[in-house]
């Protein structure tokens, strides 16, 4: 049975936050900031997400905002942590939803690592979980 991705009742806003520039980048004649790498501070258990990424300072020609990766627990400790990244990053579209479908057999829960491009000074992420029947 196919997923009902087009049914708005099957989506629930799970996380939303605005991130702002933490550092200035030394780029001559440019207005660049650096938000940096972030790990979203909650665990997801749905293997289907939609991420909407917006920015107030985006220029009209900008079409992408940055990358996300799936971060899971492996049980192998290295440097004090047991987290590992799935070696695949997903490019986020700017001002429009990006559908992410993760392999549900890899991990029952996971976190998301987020890395916006350096030229963004503020970013709002809205992450929706698919709640319909798989």
């Amino acid at each position: 049975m196919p997923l009902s991705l087009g049914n708005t009742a099957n989506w629930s806003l799970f996380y939303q936050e605005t991130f702002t520039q933490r550092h200035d980048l030394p780029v001559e004649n440019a207005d660049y900031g650096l938000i940096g790498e972030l790990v979203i501070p909650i665990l997801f258990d749905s293997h289907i997400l939609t991420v909407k990424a917006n920015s107030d300072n985006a220029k009209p020609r900008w079409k992408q905002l940055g990358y996300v990766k799936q971060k899971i627990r492996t049980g192998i400790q290295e440097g004090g942590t047991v987290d590992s990244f799935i070696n695949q990053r997903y490019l986020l579209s700017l001002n429009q939803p990006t559908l992410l479908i993760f392999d549900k057999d890899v991990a029952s829960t996971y976190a998301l690592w987020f890395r916006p491009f350096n030229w963004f000074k503020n970013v709002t992420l809205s992450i929706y979980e698919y709640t319909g029947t798989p």
Side-chain angles (χ1 to χ4, degrees):
M1 179 178 198
L3 298 172
S4 298
L5 298 174
N7 183 348
T8 57
N10 288 337
W11 293 97
S12 176
L13 180 63
F14 194 74
Y15 177 82
Q16 186 172 49
E17 189 167 346
T18 299
F19 303 97
T20 57
Q21 162 185 334
R22 295 187 289 182
H23 308 286
D24 287 321
L25 293 180
V27 179
E28 238 178 271
N29 299 322
D31 193 17
Y32 282 25
L34 178 66
I35 295 171
E37 297 179 357
L38 306 159
V39 174
I40 305 302
I42 57 172
L43 292 176
F44 297 91
D45 58 10
S46 174
H47 71 283
I48 303 172
L49 302 176
T50 295
V51 179
K52 184 148 190 231
N54 298 318
S55 179
D56 294 340
N57 72 310
K59 295 185 180 175
R61 68 178 181 276
W62 296 352
K63 303 297 179 205
Q64 285 84 31
L65 187 127
Y67 294 99
V68 294
K69 284 185 185 180
Q70 188 180 23
K71 188 173 185 179
I72 63 167
R73 291 258 150 160
T74 60
I76 299 171
Q77 188 162 349
E78 182 65 38
T81 181
V82 292
D83 293 336
S84 293
F85 290 109
I86 301 293
N87 196 21
Q88 181 172 359
R89 63 184 184 176
Y90 298 88
L91 184 62
L92 294 178
S93 297
L94 177 63
N95 298 324
Q96 67 179 22
T98 301
L99 180 66
L100 305 175
I101 301 177
F102 298 112
D103 187 345
K104 62 183 169 188
D105 296 326
V106 172
S108 59
T109 61
Y110 59 92
L112 286 180
W113 169 91
F114 170 58
R115 175 67 165 90
F117 295 133
N118 290 343
W119 44 89
F120 287 98
K121 290 186 161 197
N122 62 64
V123 169
T124 299
L125 282 185
S126 301
I127 303 175
Y128 297 84
E129 278 193 322
Y130 181 74
T131 57
T133 54

